[in-house]
Amino acid sequence: MAKQPDGLVSIKDFVRWGASRFNAEGLFFGHGADNAIDEAAQLVLSALHLQPDLPATFQDCRLTEAERGTVVELIERRLTERLPAAYLTGCAWFAGLEFAVDSHVLVPRSPIAEVIETGFHPWIAPEVIGRVLDLCTGSGCIGIAAAVWLPDAEVDLVDVSPEALSVARQNVERHGVGDRVRVLESDLFDGLHGNHYDVIVSNPPYVSRSELESLPLEYHREPRLGLLGGDDGLDLVVRILGEADRFLTDEGVLIVEVGSSAETLERRLPEVPFTWLELERGGDGVFILTREQLVESQPLVEEVLGL
């Protein structure tokens, strides 16, 4: 067990100490928190089995010796193993909901959360959404959040990774949506023939090979399968564009996050009328296309695919 520092007794003492250690070591923050204080608070509160919204009046509460040991061990693991905090705590928050995570899934952080919380308005009327597909679901956070925010919708969670789908099933059970949410193993649309959706939403692998190699160590603790999108990051994105129209209802929409590969996508498909979402809470590289736009764009996408 790591040696406990002298003079630290309260919750805020350990948050300050952890943040100072993180800054001194130059850790990267980008998997839920964007600064050392929030990251340290996440780990300290998790070690104490307390929620993130702990009232400020409790920050001066003193830790027992056993609690101090647990907190210090968690802080030291974050420093030495460079694991994202969510893998150390086993949970992450997305769209106001808590999800179980492990190293088989990406840490939930997609800006699509903001779109889900509006019920996909104004891009499609929430009341007409009957079926939603979460493609490349990972932990299931996008699709499950959609099921929670749209209580009348049925949702399919699809991924190629059995290990990721195991985590998704845990989260379906956690949120009590098993009567409306299916968990399906499929390579994109391969196993979905005959299904049609009002909304297809996806956060697929979209990181290019060169970008992935340059990312901070914390990203390399996440599953490569969930990040790497081929040489230019767009292998799966272009496949989705080439097939999604056949799985959408007439008024359906496709929403996809491509992050830093947005400029590359526009260069490859300059005539496709992507609408890039402007999100109040930040986050770039999320586009939306209607089924009609996808149908009209098929010759362009097929040319890129070499069909």
Side-chain angles (χ1 to χ4, degrees), residues 212-230:
L212 181 60
E213 297 309 317
S214 69
L215 289 175
L217 187 57
E218 282 83 353
Y219 284 102
H220 293 272
R221 301 302 189 224
E222 294 186 289
R224 192 176 180 89
L225 182 65
L227 291 171
L228 181 61

Side-chain angles (χ1 to χ4, degrees), residues 10-12 15 41 44-46 48-61 63 93:
S10 68
I11 292 175
K12 68 181 182 183
V15 171
V44 171
L45 293 177
S46 175
L48 300 175
H49 306 287
L50 296 172
Q51 292 299 308
D53 58 354
L54 181 74
T57 52
F58 285 85
Q59 292 295 326
D60 289 318
C61 290
L63 278 62
W93 288 82

Side-chain angles (χ1 to χ4, degrees), residues 14-74:
F14 280 93
V15 171
R16 196 283 308 157
W17 172 74
S20 294
R21 295 288 311 281
F22 294 164
N23 282 330
E25 293 295 326
L27 295 193
F28 172 80
F29 310 107
H31 293 85
D34 62 3
N35 62 85
I37 291 176
D38 288 347
E39 185 104 339
Q42 179 183 350
L43 291 172
V44 171
L45 293 177
S46 175
L48 300 175
H49 306 287
L50 296 172
Q51 292 299 308
D53 58 354
L54 181 74
T57 52
F58 285 85
Q59 292 295 326
D60 289 318
C61 290
R62 299 168 66 92
L63 278 62
T64 67
E65 183 177 355
E67 288 173 337
R68 292 197 296 270
T70 301
V71 168
V72 170
E73 184 176 3
L74 208 54

Side-chain angles (χ1 to χ4, degrees), residues 8 12 51 98 100 146 149 168 179 182 185 200 205 232-233 244 260:
L8 304 183
K12 68 181 182 183
Q51 292 299 308
E98 188 177 30
W149 285 86
D179 59 329
R182 297 191 302 173
E185 183 177 344
I200 297 175
D232 69 354
S260 58

Side-chain angles (χ1 to χ4, degrees), residues 40-292:
Q42 179 183 350
L43 291 172
V44 171
L45 293 177
S46 175
L48 300 175
H49 306 287
L50 296 172
Q51 292 299 308
D53 58 354
L54 181 74
T57 52
F58 285 85
Q59 292 295 326
D60 289 318
C61 290
R62 299 168 66 92
L63 278 62
T64 67
E65 183 177 355
E67 288 173 337
R68 292 197 296 270
T70 301
V71 168
V72 170
E73 184 176 3
L74 208 54
I75 296 291
E76 292 294 342
R77 287 192 64 196
R78 177 69 180 93
L79 287 161
T80 58
E81 299 178 37
R82 295 298 175 98
L83 288 167
Y87 290 161
L88 294 169
T89 65
C91 67
W93 288 82
F94 179 83
L97 304 168
E98 188 177 30
F99 290 90
V101 296
D102 65 20
S103 59
H104 295 296
V105 299
L106 299 185
V107 177
R109 55 185 179 272
S110 173
I112 290 173
E114 185 176 321
V115 185
I116 295 170
E117 291 170 20
T118 68
F120 299 100
H121 176 80
W123 310 108
I124 184 171
E127 60 270 18
V128 306
I129 300 175
R131 299 195 70 199
V132 177
L133 171 62
D134 176 8
L135 204 59
C136 305
T137 191
S139 66
C141 62
I142 288 176
I144 293 169
V148 171
W149 285 86
L150 296 168
D152 295 324
E154 296 182 351
V155 180
D156 285 348
L157 311 179
V158 170
D159 206 288
V160 73
S161 165
E163 294 81 8
L165 292 176
S166 177
V167 177
R169 291 187 185 94
Q170 294 177 45
N171 285 317
V172 169
E173 183 176 354
R174 173 182 290 224
H175 291 286
V177 291
D179 59 329
R180 294 186 292 117
V181 178
R182 297 191 302 173
V183 180
L184 306 171
E185 183 177 344
S186 175
D187 182 1
L188 296 184
F189 297 102
D190 287 355
L192 301 179
H193 294 287
N195 289 280
H196 293 88
Y197 304 91
D198 301 295
V199 177
I200 297 175
V201 59
S202 183
N203 178 17
Y206 59 71
V207 180
S208 69
R209 198 174 304 277
S210 60
E211 182 184 3
L212 181 60
E213 297 309 317
S214 69
L215 289 175
L217 187 57
E218 282 83 353
Y219 284 102
H220 293 272
R221 301 302 189 224
E222 294 186 289
R224 192 176 180 89
L225 182 65
L227 291 171
L228 181 61
D231 287 342
D232 69 354
L234 296 175
D235 286 2
L236 273 74
V237 175
V238 176
R239 282 181 57 195
I240 291 169
L241 289 170
E243 300 180 52
D245 66 295
R246 300 197 298 275
F247 297 87
L248 281 169
T249 57
D250 288 344
E251 303 301 318
V253 296
L254 170 69
I255 300 171
V256 181
E257 177 182 348
V258 297
S260 58
S261 293
E263 291 185 8
T264 305
L265 180 61
E266 288 201 307
R267 284 197 299 270
R268 288 188 66 179
L269 291 166
E271 297 181 52
V272 174
F274 298 107
T275 295
W276 298 98
L277 304 189
E278 296 183 6
L279 302 170
E280 291 183 4
R281 299 202 297 261
D284 299 319
V286 178
F287 71 76
I288 184 167
L289 289 168
T290 65
R291 181 181 184 275
E292 182 180 0

